[in-house]
């Protein structure tokens, strides 16, 4: 992926592979109206490393890189495009199941009804192992992941900002207002922190003008596994991009080892950082959300991995797999930087 597309995708999703440590300005800013460009560039919201997307063809500018675009990144039903010919469809969640995916697509939760449908689909996936076809296409990205229960990450004004036609600023088109164009970066960050500190769930900003916060917090609290669900979607997209048809996901309607499906309070029920097991026919793959990569496992190893993930300790896992196998697999995954136990994630600060 090109650097420009990576910036664009991190702006859409609110997720980035690398945390923008030490940033005192926004990494990426999208303007809905180029009339605000001059004021933006004169503020400390941008610096020499900021990438600014502005409509039209602004010229004669210095400082941050300004990328001209056509269309919109905010309005569902619109298309975003820029030279040299990259196109991104913008769709609302509620209509996406009825639309054909023909190219790169960003799906937005555009209102409370979209959020309700998102929760419905997540519940079905959790209980039945049935995932929305449109969300698992390799060219699709679900927007504003931090507001939907994703693993806490680098989202915030230092990662992304959006300036609407009136000059209002937020981290996303459907976000709670953080200020207006021309405001200082410290003021924007302070308001972002204030809004989030007042909420029981991250992130209270990116969907703040779209979904009532009390409703969002309540529904996310009832589904602490949503971060894991979003990680599964990423894993399925990864395998579908390789031409593989995922037929099952451990913990989502089924288990490789049937007996593990009867374990009460499975250790892998909630933590979005723990590896996932997905299978495509007879082939089983482990997907690491923290490393954003997938790799194939033989069946015996996969069953041992599942025992460790479900049981949460080598001792309990040994009731379902040989103790020697448990120790070997646990060590192999630790050495590869893919811990299988929650405590390992805590120790590593993940």
């Amino acid at each position: 992926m090109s650097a420009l597309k990576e910036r664009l995708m991190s702006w859409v999703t609110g997720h980035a592979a690398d945390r923008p440590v030490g940033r005192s300005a926004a990494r990426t800013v999208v303007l809905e109206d180029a009339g605000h460009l001059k004021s933006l560039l004169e503020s400390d919201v941008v610096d020499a490393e900021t990438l600014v997307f502005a409509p039209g063809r602004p010229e004669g500018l210095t400082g941050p890189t300004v990328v001209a675009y056509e269309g919109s990144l905010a309005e569902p039903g619109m298309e975003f495009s820029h030279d040299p010919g990259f196109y991104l469809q913008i769709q609302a969640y509620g209509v996406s199941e009825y639309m054909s995916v023909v190219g790169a697509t960003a799906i937005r939760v555009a209102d409370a009804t979209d959020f309700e449908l998102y929760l419905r689909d997540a519940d079905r996936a959790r209980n039945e192992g049935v995932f929305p076809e449109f969300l698992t296409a390799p060219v699709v990205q679900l927007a504003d992941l931090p507001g939907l229960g994703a693993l806490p990450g680098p989202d915030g004004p230092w990662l992304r900002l959006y300036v609407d036609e009136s000059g209002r600023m937020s981290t996303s088109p459907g976000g709670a207002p953080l200020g207006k164009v021309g405001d200082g970066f410290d003021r924007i960050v302070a308001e972002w922190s204030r809004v989030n500190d007042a909420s029981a769930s991250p992130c209270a900003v990116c969907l703040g003008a779209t979904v009532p916060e009390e409703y969002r917090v309540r529904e996310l609290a009832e589904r602490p596994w949503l971060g894991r669900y979003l990680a599964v979607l990423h894993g399925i997209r990864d395998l579908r991009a390789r031409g593989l048809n995922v037929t099952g996901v451990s913990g989502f309607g089924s288990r490789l080892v049937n007996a593990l499906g009867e374990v009460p309070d499975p250790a892998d029920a909630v933590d979005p950082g723990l590896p996932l097991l997905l299978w495509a026919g007879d082939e089983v793959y482990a997907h690491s959300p923290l490393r954003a990569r997938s790799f194939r496992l033989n069946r015996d190893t996969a069953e041992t991995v599942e025992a460790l993930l479900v049981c949460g300790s080598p001792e309990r896992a040994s009731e379902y797999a040989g103790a020697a196998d448990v120790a070997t697999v646990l060590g192999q995954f630790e050495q590869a930087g893919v811990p299988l136990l929650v405590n390992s994630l805590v120790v590593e600060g993940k």
Side-chain angles (χ1 to χ4, degrees):
M1 183 183 296
S2 70
L4 190 146
K5 289 182 182 178
E6 184 277 324
R7 290 284 193 101
L8 186 62
M9 289 301 100
S10 67
W11 183 88
V12 167
T13 62
H15 174 79
D18 297 315
R19 186 181 298 271
V21 178
R23 291 286 298 159
S24 57
R27 189 167 180 258
T28 307
V29 182
V30 170
L31 289 170
E32 196 69 22
D33 185 341
H36 298 297
L37 183 57
K38 184 175 184 295
S39 295
L40 177 72
L41 297 181
E42 291 174 349
S43 74
D44 69 349
V45 167
V46 301
D47 63 14
E49 297 180 9
T50 303
L51 185 62
V52 179
F53 289 91
R57 296 189 175 278
E59 298 178 353
L61 301 171
T62 60
T65 300
V66 178
V67 178
Y69 75 86
E70 296 179 357
S72 175
L73 279 164
E75 189 67 27
M78 295 289 288
E79 181 180 75
F80 164 92
S81 65
H82 73 81
D83 294 335
F86 174 77
Y87 297 91
L88 179 67
Q89 302 287 331
I90 312 299
Q91 289 184 5
Y93 191 99
V95 302
S96 292
E97 65 178 307
Y98 308 109
M99 307 288 285
S100 297
V101 177
V102 295
T105 303
I107 296 177
R108 292 196 173 283
V109 170
D111 54 31
T113 299
D114 278 355
F115 187 67
E116 182 180 353
L117 293 173
Y118 161 73
L119 296 174
R120 178 207 65 183
D121 289 342
D123 287 341
R124 187 183 184 200
R126 182 70 172 180
N127 297 325
E128 303 175 28
V130 178
F131 295 85
E133 179 73 16
F134 68 92
L135 277 187
T136 61
V139 294
V140 164
Q141 291 287 350
L142 186 58
D144 303 318
L145 297 177
L148 298 173
L151 177 71
D155 195 30
W158 40 85
L159 180 69
R160 58 175 183 157
L161 282 173
Y162 170 73
V163 183
D164 70 11
E165 291 180 342
S166 69
R168 182 188 70 98
M169 303 185 77
S170 187
T171 54
S172 72
L178 300 178
K180 62 183 184 303
V181 67
D183 287 346
F185 189 68
D186 287 347
R187 180 175 176 178
I188 297 295
V189 171
E191 180 62 9
W192 182 85
S193 298
R194 185 194 69 77
V195 174
N196 277 304
D197 289 345
S199 176
S201 297
C203 157
V205 171
C206 66
L207 294 176
T210 301
V211 181
E213 183 61 8
E214 182 178 350
Y215 170 48
R216 189 187 73 92
V217 169
R218 182 180 70 247
E219 298 300 324
L220 263 60
E222 292 179 0
R223 299 169 177 82
W225 45 264
L226 278 171
R228 196 136 179 87
Y229 167 68
L230 292 170
V232 170
L233 293 177
H234 187 281
I236 295 176
R237 290 188 206 110
D238 185 36
L239 293 183
R240 283 189 64 180
R242 305 185 196 183
L244 297 168
N245 178 35
V246 174
T247 54
V249 180
S250 180
F252 285 78
S254 60
R255 295 287 188 184
L256 282 172
V257 179
N258 290 333
L260 290 171
E262 304 301 320
V263 174
D265 300 320
D268 67 342
V270 174
D271 196 311
L274 284 173
L276 298 151
L277 290 177
L278 308 91
W279 49 93
D282 294 331
E283 297 181 349
V284 185
Y285 296 82
H287 177 76
S288 170
L290 298 177
R291 300 290 183 264
R293 63 187 181 95
S294 304
F295 44 94
R296 186 178 174 182
L297 303 175
N298 65 52
R299 180 75 185 206
D300 289 342
T301 298
E303 292 182 358
T304 303
V305 167
E306 187 175 57
L308 282 160
L309 289 171
V310 172
C311 296
S313 73
E315 294 75 21
R316 291 185 62 198
S318 296
E319 299 174 15
Y320 299 89
D325 292 336
V326 166
T328 298
V329 169
L330 187 62
Q332 290 174 338
F333 273 70
E334 290 281 356
Q335 187 174 10
V338 185
L340 296 174
L341 305 179
V342 174
N343 288 340
S344 298
L345 296 174
V346 173
V347 168
E348 290 198 359
K350 303 298 186 185

